[in-house]
Amino acid sequence: MSRNARINALLLLVVVALAVLPLALGMGDHKEEPFTGADAQAETAITETHPDYKPWFSPLYEPPSGEIESALFSLQAALGAGVLAYYFGLRRGRRQGEERALAGARDPGRGE
């Protein structure tokens, strides 16, 4: 197994452990909604400490259900990942093209 394969396997193992361990260890069992987002937890903490708090503004769009909100968040994450993958792929392709052009300029009789 090459060094890169070992590093990738180790990273995959760490990601799986981060996803599975909180569930396996029962973290958050004492809460009504154990794995809510940070926004919901912050809102709860604010209303507990300052019950008369008034928000500065309201959301532009409030999804009708949590499932739609999750779907929109997932779509946003997928679009962001796609843009990043495109950018890094484009950079790598350009770099490889430049390397091939330089190699061809150094050795014109190579016959690629």
Side-chain angles (χ1 to χ4, degrees):
M1 184 182 268
S2 72
R3 182 172 186 261
N4 284 341
R6 277 186 266 155
I7 290 172
N8 288 340
L10 181 63
L11 288 173
L12 182 64
L13 182 67
V14 168
V15 168
V16 169
L18 285 172
V20 171
L21 281 176
L23 298 172
L25 297 177
M27 295 179 157
D29 283 346
H30 62 283
K31 297 180 180 177
E32 185 178 320
E33 295 181 22
F35 298 106
T36 58
D39 293 345
Q41 292 177 356
E43 184 181 345
T44 302
I46 289 170
T47 55
E48 285 176 359
T49 57
H50 302 290
D52 57 336
Y53 175 78
K54 301 265 189 288
W56 295 355
F57 57 88
S58 60
L60 297 176
Y61 171 69
E62 187 77 32
S65 70
E67 291 83 10
I68 293 175
E69 185 176 357
S70 293
L72 290 173
F73 183 76
S74 299
L75 178 65
Q76 177 185 356
L79 287 172
V83 168
L84 283 175
Y86 175 78
Y87 171 74
F88 286 120
L90 186 67
R91 282 194 51 192
R92 181 175 177 161
R94 285 184 180 171
R95 187 178 58 230
Q96 288 176 346
E98 289 171 0
E99 290 171 359
R100 287 182 186 153
L102 287 174
R106 284 189 214 126
D107 189 14
R110 207 168 107 190
E112 288 186 68

